[in-house]
Amino acid sequence: ETGVTQTPRHLVMGMTNKKSLKCEQHLGHNAMYWYKQSAKKPLELMFVYNFKEQTENNSVPSRFSPECPNSSHLFLHLHTLQPEDSALYLCASSQVDRGVHGYTFGSGTRLTVV
Amino acid sequence: GQQLNQSPQSMFIQEGEDVSMNCTSSSIFNTWLWYKQDPGEGPVLLIALYKAGELTSNGRLTAQFGITRKDSFLNISASIPSDVGIYFCAGLQRGVSGGSNYKLTFGKGTLLTVNP
């Protein structure tokens, strides 16, 4: 596998469920990100991990809980979500210590909360 | 936080026409990036601009980093049906904590429709 892989591609969950989104990058990058993409809104940065350490949490509700066990894997744990949390969740990675380069995005997880 | 004003929001053009879209900001960015997103997929990087005034081409795509570092445009020449998608500009700047912490801010996107 190459690039940034996200699973699952689609997820439907009830408001009382607990689920996790997974992201894996095979690019040797040292930074990983979670973005939320809702209709008619700009991409919203949720979390940033540099060298496995969380460096940014953009006022994200605690029902979203990120985990970065190593520089290649990133998870987003979900619990007691609301219908307005339905969106496309995108993972991205980049290499930040060898100059500035664009992010590489995964294909996203389309989340529907019912 | 920083905002990028991307325009137009949407465009409907005929195949073969040229397209132009732009982004402006009240903030200075170190790098400007242009992405394209196909339906059901994540954004894919098209062009990266690293220096003020830089003009870069990638096939039928041309982008420029504004002299003031607060704007950028993307041109697509001789459009084809597969150019359909959402185009995003993004500005990259060092985060508040500095070091290796960079922040990417996205515009709202331009939805391009190409009629064959």
Side-chain angles (χ1 to χ4, degrees), chain A residues 9 33 35 37 40-43 45 48 50-51 55-56 58 88 90 96-97 99-108 110, chain B residues 30-31 33 35 37 40-45 48 50 86 88 92 94-95 97 99-109:
Chain A
R9 290 297 305 270
Y33 314 82
Y35 278 86
Q37 187 176 33
K40 298 183 180 181
K41 283 187 176 182
L43 282 157
L45 178 65
V48 179
N50 282 343
F51 302 95
T55 56
E56 191 156 345
N58 250 14
L88 181 68
L90 290 161
V96 296
D97 58 1
V100 175
H101 300 285
Y103 295 4
T104 301
F105 283 86
S107 297
R110 174 66 63 183
Chain B
N30 305 113
T31 299
L33 306 164
Y35 286 86
Q37 186 175 25
E41 298 294 331
V44 174
L45 182 66
Y50 300 104
I86 304 175
F88 292 97
L92 189 66
R94 195 175 288 257
S97 56
S100 59
N101 186 16
Y102 286 86
K103 183 173 181 177
L104 193 63
T105 303
F106 283 86
K108 289 187 177 181

Short mmCIF file of all heavy atoms in Angstrom, two decimals, chain A residues 9 33 35 37 40-43 45 48 50-51 55-56 58 88 90 96-97 99-108 110, chain B residues 30-31 33 35 37 40-45 48 50 86 88 92 94-95 97 99-109:
data_model
loop_
_atom_site.label_atom_id
_atom_site.label_comp_id
_atom_site.label_asym_id
_atom_site.label_seq_id
_atom_site.Cartn_x
_atom_site.Cartn_y
_atom_site.Cartn_z
N ARG A 9 -14.35 3.41 4.73
CA ARG A 9 -14.68 4.48 3.78
C ARG A 9 -16.03 5.10 4.13
O ARG A 9 -16.23 6.29 3.92
CB ARG A 9 -14.72 3.93 2.35
CG ARG A 9 -13.38 3.55 1.76
CD ARG A 9 -12.44 4.75 1.62
NE ARG A 9 -13.03 5.84 0.85
CZ ARG A 9 -12.93 5.99 -0.46
NH1 ARG A 9 -12.27 5.08 -1.16
NH2 ARG A 9 -13.48 7.01 -1.08
N TYR A 33 -2.67 14.52 10.61
CA TYR A 33 -3.73 15.48 10.89
C TYR A 33 -5.09 14.84 10.69
O TYR A 33 -5.26 13.97 9.84
CB TYR A 33 -3.62 16.67 9.91
CG TYR A 33 -2.24 17.23 9.73
CD1 TYR A 33 -1.34 16.63 8.86
CD2 TYR A 33 -1.84 18.36 10.43
CE1 TYR A 33 -0.05 17.16 8.69
CE2 TYR A 33 -0.57 18.89 10.26
CZ TYR A 33 0.32 18.27 9.40
OH TYR A 33 1.59 18.78 9.24
N TYR A 35 -8.94 16.24 9.68
CA TYR A 35 -9.76 17.34 9.21
C TYR A 35 -11.21 16.87 9.13
O TYR A 35 -11.48 15.71 8.82
CB TYR A 35 -9.33 17.80 7.81
CG TYR A 35 -8.16 18.72 7.77
CD1 TYR A 35 -6.86 18.22 7.75
CD2 TYR A 35 -8.34 20.11 7.73
CE1 TYR A 35 -5.77 19.08 7.69
CE2 TYR A 35 -7.26 20.97 7.68
CZ TYR A 35 -5.98 20.44 7.66
OH TYR A 35 -4.90 21.29 7.61
N GLN A 37 -14.72 17.76 7.00
CA GLN A 37 -15.25 18.46 5.84
C GLN A 37 -16.76 18.34 5.82
O GLN A 37 -17.30 17.26 5.60
CB GLN A 37 -14.66 17.92 4.53
CG GLN A 37 -15.06 18.74 3.32
CD GLN A 37 -14.41 18.26 2.05
OE1 GLN A 37 -14.16 17.07 1.88
NE2 GLN A 37 -14.12 19.18 1.14
N LYS A 40 -20.51 22.86 2.27
CA LYS A 40 -20.48 24.32 2.17
C LYS A 40 -19.64 24.99 3.26
O LYS A 40 -19.90 26.13 3.63
CB LYS A 40 -21.90 24.89 2.19
CG LYS A 40 -22.74 24.42 1.00
CD LYS A 40 -24.11 25.05 0.97
CE LYS A 40 -24.89 24.53 -0.23
NZ LYS A 40 -26.24 25.12 -0.32
N LYS A 41 -18.69 24.27 3.82
CA LYS A 41 -17.78 24.85 4.81
C LYS A 41 -16.35 24.55 4.40
O LYS A 41 -16.09 23.53 3.75
CB LYS A 41 -18.03 24.23 6.19
CG LYS A 41 -19.25 24.73 6.92
CD LYS A 41 -19.25 24.15 8.32
CE LYS A 41 -20.39 24.68 9.14
NZ LYS A 41 -20.35 24.14 10.52
N PRO A 42 -15.40 25.40 4.81
CA PRO A 42 -13.99 25.06 4.54
C PRO A 42 -13.59 23.83 5.33
O PRO A 42 -14.21 23.50 6.33
CB PRO A 42 -13.23 26.29 5.04
CG PRO A 42 -14.23 27.35 5.25
CD PRO A 42 -15.54 26.68 5.51
N LEU A 43 -12.53 23.19 4.88
CA LEU A 43 -11.96 22.09 5.66
C LEU A 43 -11.57 22.61 7.04
O LEU A 43 -10.90 23.63 7.15
CB LEU A 43 -10.73 21.54 4.95
CG LEU A 43 -11.01 20.62 3.77
CD1 LEU A 43 -9.83 20.58 2.83
CD2 LEU A 43 -11.33 19.23 4.26
N LEU A 45 -9.56 22.03 10.48
CA LEU A 45 -8.53 21.27 11.16
C LEU A 45 -9.01 20.89 12.55
O LEU A 45 -9.51 21.74 13.30
CB LEU A 45 -7.25 22.09 11.27
CG LEU A 45 -6.08 21.46 12.01
CD1 LEU A 45 -5.58 20.23 11.25
CD2 LEU A 45 -4.96 22.47 12.19
N VAL A 48 -3.62 17.92 15.32
CA VAL A 48 -2.33 17.82 14.68
C VAL A 48 -1.41 17.01 15.57
O VAL A 48 -1.35 17.24 16.78
CB VAL A 48 -1.69 19.20 14.45
CG1 VAL A 48 -0.31 19.05 13.80
CG2 VAL A 48 -2.58 20.08 13.60
N ASN A 50 2.66 16.01 15.66
CA ASN A 50 4.03 16.08 15.15
C ASN A 50 4.87 15.10 15.95
O ASN A 50 4.92 15.19 17.18
CB ASN A 50 4.60 17.49 15.32
CG ASN A 50 4.09 18.44 14.27
OD1 ASN A 50 3.58 18.03 13.24
ND2 ASN A 50 4.22 19.72 14.54
N PHE A 51 5.56 14.21 15.25
CA PHE A 51 6.41 13.22 15.93
C PHE A 51 5.64 12.53 17.06
O PHE A 51 6.14 12.37 18.17
CB PHE A 51 7.67 13.89 16.51
CG PHE A 51 8.50 14.61 15.50
CD1 PHE A 51 8.35 15.97 15.29
CD2 PHE A 51 9.43 13.92 14.74
CE1 PHE A 51 9.13 16.63 14.35
CE2 PHE A 51 10.20 14.57 13.79
CZ PHE A 51 10.05 15.94 13.60
N THR A 55 0.07 18.45 18.96
CA THR A 55 0.51 19.83 19.05
C THR A 55 -0.64 20.81 18.85
O THR A 55 -0.48 22.00 19.04
CB THR A 55 1.60 20.14 18.01
OG1 THR A 55 1.09 19.81 16.72
CG2 THR A 55 2.85 19.34 18.29
N GLU A 56 -1.79 20.31 18.43
CA GLU A 56 -2.91 21.21 18.24
C GLU A 56 -4.22 20.48 18.42
O GLU A 56 -4.39 19.36 17.93
CB GLU A 56 -2.85 21.85 16.85
CG GLU A 56 -3.83 23.00 16.65
CD GLU A 56 -3.41 23.96 15.56
OE1 GLU A 56 -2.25 23.93 15.13
OE2 GLU A 56 -4.26 24.76 15.14
N ASN A 58 -8.04 21.89 17.94
CA ASN A 58 -8.76 23.10 17.54
C ASN A 58 -10.14 23.17 18.19
O ASN A 58 -11.15 23.20 17.50
CB ASN A 58 -8.89 23.13 16.01
CG ASN A 58 -8.03 24.23 15.42
OD1 ASN A 58 -7.17 24.79 16.07
ND2 ASN A 58 -8.26 24.52 14.15
N LEU A 88 -17.48 14.32 6.16
CA LEU A 88 -16.35 13.55 5.65
C LEU A 88 -15.15 13.87 6.54
O LEU A 88 -14.79 15.04 6.70
CB LEU A 88 -16.06 13.94 4.20
CG LEU A 88 -14.91 13.20 3.51
CD1 LEU A 88 -15.26 11.72 3.31
CD2 LEU A 88 -14.57 13.85 2.17
N LEU A 90 -11.26 13.57 7.06
CA LEU A 90 -10.06 13.36 6.25
C LEU A 90 -8.82 13.32 7.12
O LEU A 90 -8.65 14.14 8.02
CB LEU A 90 -9.90 14.49 5.23
CG LEU A 90 -10.92 14.51 4.10
CD1 LEU A 90 -10.97 15.88 3.45
CD2 LEU A 90 -10.59 13.47 3.06
N VAL A 96 7.60 17.59 8.10
CA VAL A 96 7.77 18.98 8.51
C VAL A 96 9.21 19.35 8.85
O VAL A 96 9.49 20.51 9.09
CB VAL A 96 6.88 19.30 9.73
CG1 VAL A 96 5.42 19.16 9.35
CG2 VAL A 96 7.23 18.42 10.92
N ASP A 97 10.13 18.43 8.86
CA ASP A 97 11.48 18.80 9.27
C ASP A 97 12.46 18.86 8.12
O ASP A 97 13.65 18.96 8.30
CB ASP A 97 11.99 17.86 10.35
CG ASP A 97 12.00 16.40 9.90
OD1 ASP A 97 11.62 16.14 8.75
OD2 ASP A 97 12.38 15.55 10.71
N GLY A 99 11.90 21.07 5.34
CA GLY A 99 11.25 22.11 4.56
C GLY A 99 9.75 21.91 4.56
O GLY A 99 9.21 20.93 5.07
N VAL A 100 9.07 22.80 3.92
CA VAL A 100 7.61 22.78 3.95
C VAL A 100 7.07 22.14 2.68
O VAL A 100 7.43 22.53 1.58
CB VAL A 100 7.06 24.21 4.07
CG1 VAL A 100 5.56 24.21 3.98
CG2 VAL A 100 7.52 24.82 5.38
N HIS A 101 6.25 21.17 2.83
CA HIS A 101 5.65 20.50 1.68
C HIS A 101 4.16 20.39 1.88
O HIS A 101 3.65 20.52 2.97
CB HIS A 101 6.25 19.10 1.50
CG HIS A 101 7.72 19.12 1.30
ND1 HIS A 101 8.30 19.48 0.11
CD2 HIS A 101 8.74 18.84 2.13
CE1 HIS A 101 9.62 19.42 0.24
NE2 HIS A 101 9.91 19.03 1.44
N GLY A 102 3.45 20.17 0.80
CA GLY A 102 2.00 20.01 0.89
C GLY A 102 1.63 18.75 1.64
O GLY A 102 2.41 17.84 1.77
N TYR A 103 0.40 18.76 2.15
CA TYR A 103 -0.10 17.58 2.84
C TYR A 103 -0.56 16.55 1.81
O TYR A 103 -1.06 16.89 0.74
CB TYR A 103 -1.30 17.95 3.70
CG TYR A 103 -1.03 18.91 4.85
CD1 TYR A 103 0.21 19.47 5.06
CD2 TYR A 103 -2.05 19.23 5.74
CE1 TYR A 103 0.42 20.35 6.11
CE2 TYR A 103 -1.85 20.10 6.79
CZ TYR A 103 -0.61 20.65 6.98
OH TYR A 103 -0.41 21.51 8.03
N THR A 104 -0.48 15.28 2.20
CA THR A 104 -1.06 14.20 1.42
C THR A 104 -2.29 13.71 2.17
O THR A 104 -2.19 13.34 3.34
CB THR A 104 -0.06 13.05 1.23
OG1 THR A 104 1.11 13.55 0.57
CG2 THR A 104 -0.67 11.95 0.37
N PHE A 105 -3.43 13.71 1.48
CA PHE A 105 -4.68 13.34 2.12
C PHE A 105 -5.06 11.91 1.79
O PHE A 105 -4.73 11.38 0.72
CB PHE A 105 -5.81 14.25 1.64
CG PHE A 105 -5.81 15.62 2.27
CD1 PHE A 105 -5.04 16.62 1.72
CD2 PHE A 105 -6.56 15.87 3.40
CE1 PHE A 105 -5.03 17.88 2.29
CE2 PHE A 105 -6.55 17.13 3.98
CZ PHE A 105 -5.78 18.14 3.43
N GLY A 106 -5.79 11.29 2.72
CA GLY A 106 -6.46 10.03 2.45
C GLY A 106 -7.77 10.30 1.74
O GLY A 106 -8.13 11.45 1.48
N SER A 107 -8.49 9.21 1.41
CA SER A 107 -9.76 9.36 0.70
C SER A 107 -10.93 9.71 1.61
O SER A 107 -12.01 10.01 1.14
CB SER A 107 -10.09 8.06 -0.05
OG SER A 107 -9.10 7.81 -1.03
N GLY A 108 -10.70 9.63 2.92
CA GLY A 108 -11.72 10.06 3.87
C GLY A 108 -12.64 8.96 4.32
O GLY A 108 -12.76 7.90 3.69
N ARG A 110 -16.66 8.72 5.21
CA ARG A 110 -17.96 9.41 5.19
C ARG A 110 -18.75 8.92 6.38
O ARG A 110 -19.16 7.77 6.43
CB ARG A 110 -18.68 9.11 3.90
CG ARG A 110 -20.11 9.65 3.82
CD ARG A 110 -20.18 11.15 3.81
NE ARG A 110 -19.55 11.75 2.66
CZ ARG A 110 -19.43 13.05 2.46
NH1 ARG A 110 -19.87 13.90 3.40
NH2 ARG A 110 -18.86 13.51 1.37
N ASN B 30 3.48 31.62 4.00
CA ASN B 30 4.80 31.22 3.51
C ASN B 30 4.71 30.40 2.23
O ASN B 30 5.63 30.39 1.42
CB ASN B 30 5.50 30.35 4.58
CG ASN B 30 5.57 31.05 5.92
OD1 ASN B 30 4.95 30.63 6.88
ND2 ASN B 30 6.32 32.12 5.97
N THR B 31 3.61 29.69 2.08
CA THR B 31 3.42 28.79 0.95
C THR B 31 1.96 28.80 0.56
O THR B 31 1.08 28.86 1.43
CB THR B 31 3.81 27.34 1.36
OG1 THR B 31 5.18 27.30 1.75
CG2 THR B 31 3.57 26.35 0.23
N LEU B 33 -0.85 26.60 -1.74
CA LEU B 33 -1.06 25.29 -2.34
C LEU B 33 -2.42 25.28 -3.03
O LEU B 33 -3.37 25.92 -2.58
CB LEU B 33 -1.04 24.19 -1.27
CG LEU B 33 0.21 24.16 -0.37
CD1 LEU B 33 -0.05 23.32 0.86
CD2 LEU B 33 1.38 23.59 -1.15
N TYR B 35 -5.27 22.46 -4.40
CA TYR B 35 -5.70 21.06 -4.37
C TYR B 35 -6.94 20.88 -5.23
O TYR B 35 -7.74 21.81 -5.41
CB TYR B 35 -6.07 20.62 -2.95
CG TYR B 35 -4.92 20.39 -2.02
CD1 TYR B 35 -4.36 21.44 -1.30
CD2 TYR B 35 -4.40 19.12 -1.83
CE1 TYR B 35 -3.31 21.22 -0.42
CE2 TYR B 35 -3.35 18.88 -0.94
CZ TYR B 35 -2.82 19.94 -0.25
OH TYR B 35 -1.77 19.70 0.61
N GLN B 37 -10.31 18.13 -5.47
CA GLN B 37 -11.00 17.03 -4.82
C GLN B 37 -12.07 16.48 -5.75
O GLN B 37 -12.99 17.19 -6.15
CB GLN B 37 -11.62 17.48 -3.50
CG GLN B 37 -12.24 16.35 -2.70
CD GLN B 37 -12.75 16.82 -1.33
OE1 GLN B 37 -13.06 17.99 -1.15
NE2 GLN B 37 -12.83 15.90 -0.37
N GLY B 40 -16.13 11.95 -3.45
CA GLY B 40 -15.85 10.76 -2.66
C GLY B 40 -14.38 10.51 -2.38
O GLY B 40 -14.03 9.43 -1.88
N GLU B 41 -13.53 11.47 -2.71
CA GLU B 41 -12.10 11.30 -2.49
C GLU B 41 -11.55 12.45 -1.66
O GLU B 41 -12.22 13.45 -1.46
CB GLU B 41 -11.36 11.23 -3.84
CG GLU B 41 -11.76 10.08 -4.72
CD GLU B 41 -11.38 8.72 -4.14
OE1 GLU B 41 -10.39 8.66 -3.40
OE2 GLU B 41 -12.13 7.74 -4.42
N GLY B 42 -10.31 12.28 -1.20
CA GLY B 42 -9.64 13.37 -0.51
C GLY B 42 -8.99 14.32 -1.49
O GLY B 42 -8.82 14.00 -2.67
N PRO B 43 -8.64 15.52 -1.04
CA PRO B 43 -7.96 16.49 -1.92
C PRO B 43 -6.60 15.97 -2.37
O PRO B 43 -5.89 15.31 -1.61
CB PRO B 43 -7.81 17.72 -1.03
CG PRO B 43 -8.82 17.55 0.05
CD PRO B 43 -8.92 16.09 0.28
N VAL B 44 -6.26 16.28 -3.62
CA VAL B 44 -4.97 15.88 -4.19
C VAL B 44 -4.21 17.15 -4.55
O VAL B 44 -4.77 18.05 -5.19
CB VAL B 44 -5.16 14.99 -5.44
CG1 VAL B 44 -3.83 14.72 -6.10
CG2 VAL B 44 -5.84 13.68 -5.05
N LEU B 45 -2.95 17.22 -4.16
CA LEU B 45 -2.15 18.41 -4.43
C LEU B 45 -1.88 18.56 -5.93
O LEU B 45 -1.44 17.63 -6.59
CB LEU B 45 -0.83 18.32 -3.67
CG LEU B 45 0.10 19.52 -3.81
CD1 LEU B 45 -0.53 20.76 -3.17
CD2 LEU B 45 1.46 19.23 -3.17
N ALA B 48 2.26 23.57 -5.76
CA ALA B 48 2.75 24.22 -4.54
C ALA B 48 3.61 25.41 -4.93
O ALA B 48 4.43 25.32 -5.85
CB ALA B 48 3.55 23.24 -3.69
N TYR B 50 6.17 28.46 -3.38
CA TYR B 50 6.98 28.68 -2.19
C TYR B 50 7.54 30.10 -2.06
O TYR B 50 8.01 30.47 -0.98
CB TYR B 50 8.14 27.69 -2.14
CG TYR B 50 7.69 26.25 -2.13
CD1 TYR B 50 7.78 25.45 -3.26
CD2 TYR B 50 7.17 25.67 -0.97
CE1 TYR B 50 7.35 24.12 -3.24
CE2 TYR B 50 6.75 24.35 -0.94
CZ TYR B 50 6.85 23.59 -2.08
OH TYR B 50 6.44 22.28 -2.06
N ILE B 86 -13.87 19.93 -7.13
CA ILE B 86 -13.75 21.10 -6.27
C ILE B 86 -12.28 21.45 -6.14
O ILE B 86 -11.45 20.60 -5.81
CB ILE B 86 -14.35 20.85 -4.87
CG1 ILE B 86 -15.80 20.40 -4.97
CG2 ILE B 86 -14.24 22.12 -4.02
CD1 ILE B 86 -16.42 20.04 -3.63
N PHE B 88 -9.44 23.68 -4.23
CA PHE B 88 -9.19 24.40 -2.98
C PHE B 88 -7.84 25.10 -3.03
O PHE B 88 -6.85 24.51 -3.45
CB PHE B 88 -9.15 23.42 -1.78
CG PHE B 88 -10.46 22.79 -1.44
CD1 PHE B 88 -10.77 21.52 -1.91
CD2 PHE B 88 -11.38 23.44 -0.64
CE1 PHE B 88 -11.98 20.92 -1.58
CE2 PHE B 88 -12.59 22.85 -0.31
CZ PHE B 88 -12.89 21.59 -0.80
N LEU B 92 -0.17 28.05 3.85
CA LEU B 92 0.60 27.38 4.91
C LEU B 92 1.45 28.41 5.64
O LEU B 92 2.14 29.21 5.00
CB LEU B 92 1.49 26.30 4.30
CG LEU B 92 2.21 25.34 5.24
CD1 LEU B 92 1.21 24.45 5.97
CD2 LEU B 92 3.19 24.47 4.45
N ARG B 94 3.68 29.09 9.64
CA ARG B 94 4.17 28.48 10.86
C ARG B 94 3.15 28.72 11.97
O ARG B 94 2.59 29.78 12.08
CB ARG B 94 5.52 29.07 11.24
CG ARG B 94 6.30 28.28 12.26
CD ARG B 94 7.67 28.91 12.45
NE ARG B 94 8.52 28.67 11.28
CZ ARG B 94 9.48 27.79 11.24
NH1 ARG B 94 9.74 27.05 12.29
NH2 ARG B 94 10.21 27.64 10.17
N GLY B 95 2.92 27.66 12.78
CA GLY B 95 1.98 27.77 13.87
C GLY B 95 2.47 28.68 14.98
O GLY B 95 3.63 29.11 14.97
N SER B 97 3.19 28.06 18.02
CA SER B 97 4.28 27.52 18.83
C SER B 97 5.60 27.42 18.08
O SER B 97 6.62 27.05 18.65
CB SER B 97 3.90 26.14 19.38
OG SER B 97 3.56 25.27 18.32
N GLY B 99 8.74 26.35 15.63
CA GLY B 99 9.39 25.06 15.43
C GLY B 99 8.90 24.40 14.18
O GLY B 99 8.81 25.02 13.12
N SER B 100 8.56 23.10 14.29
CA SER B 100 8.11 22.37 13.12
C SER B 100 6.59 22.36 13.03
O SER B 100 6.02 21.56 12.30
CB SER B 100 8.65 20.94 13.18
OG SER B 100 8.18 20.31 14.37
N ASN B 101 5.92 23.20 13.77
CA ASN B 101 4.46 23.20 13.79
C ASN B 101 3.93 24.16 12.74
O ASN B 101 4.00 25.38 12.88
CB ASN B 101 3.98 23.62 15.19
CG ASN B 101 2.49 23.49 15.29
OD1 ASN B 101 1.85 22.85 14.48
ND2 ASN B 101 1.92 24.12 16.30
N TYR B 102 3.42 23.62 11.64
CA TYR B 102 2.87 24.43 10.56
C TYR B 102 1.36 24.26 10.52
O TYR B 102 0.82 23.23 10.88
CB TYR B 102 3.46 24.02 9.21
CG TYR B 102 4.88 24.48 9.02
CD1 TYR B 102 5.93 23.71 9.48
CD2 TYR B 102 5.16 25.69 8.40
CE1 TYR B 102 7.25 24.13 9.32
CE2 TYR B 102 6.47 26.12 8.23
CZ TYR B 102 7.51 25.33 8.70
OH TYR B 102 8.80 25.75 8.54
N LYS B 103 0.68 25.31 10.06
CA LYS B 103 -0.78 25.27 9.99
C LYS B 103 -1.22 25.53 8.56
O LYS B 103 -0.76 26.47 7.92
CB LYS B 103 -1.39 26.31 10.92
CG LYS B 103 -2.91 26.29 10.95
CD LYS B 103 -3.43 27.24 12.00
CE LYS B 103 -4.95 27.19 12.05
NZ LYS B 103 -5.47 28.07 13.12
N LEU B 104 -2.12 24.70 8.05
CA LEU B 104 -2.65 24.83 6.70
C LEU B 104 -4.08 25.32 6.80
O LEU B 104 -4.91 24.69 7.45
CB LEU B 104 -2.59 23.48 5.99
CG LEU B 104 -2.81 23.44 4.49
CD1 LEU B 104 -1.72 24.22 3.78
CD2 LEU B 104 -2.84 22.01 4.01
N THR B 105 -4.37 26.46 6.17
CA THR B 105 -5.72 27.03 6.16
C THR B 105 -6.28 26.90 4.76
O THR B 105 -5.62 27.26 3.79
CB THR B 105 -5.69 28.51 6.57
OG1 THR B 105 -5.09 28.63 7.86
CG2 THR B 105 -7.10 29.08 6.62
N PHE B 106 -7.51 26.40 4.65
CA PHE B 106 -8.13 26.16 3.36
C PHE B 106 -9.18 27.21 3.02
O PHE B 106 -9.86 27.75 3.91
CB PHE B 106 -8.84 24.80 3.35
CG PHE B 106 -7.90 23.63 3.21
CD1 PHE B 106 -7.30 23.07 4.32
CD2 PHE B 106 -7.62 23.10 1.96
CE1 PHE B 106 -6.43 22.01 4.20
CE2 PHE B 106 -6.76 22.03 1.83
CZ PHE B 106 -6.16 21.49 2.95
N GLY B 107 -9.31 27.50 1.73
CA GLY B 107 -10.46 28.25 1.24
C GLY B 107 -11.67 27.35 1.17
O GLY B 107 -11.57 26.14 1.40
N LYS B 108 -12.85 27.93 0.85
CA LYS B 108 -14.09 27.16 0.83
C LYS B 108 -14.24 26.32 -0.44
O LYS B 108 -15.12 25.48 -0.53
CB LYS B 108 -15.30 28.08 0.98
CG LYS B 108 -15.44 28.66 2.36
CD LYS B 108 -16.75 29.42 2.51
CE LYS B 108 -16.91 29.94 3.93
NZ LYS B 108 -18.18 30.66 4.12
N GLY B 109 -13.38 26.59 -1.42
CA GLY B 109 -13.42 25.77 -2.61
C GLY B 109 -14.19 26.41 -3.76
O GLY B 109 -15.08 27.24 -3.56
#
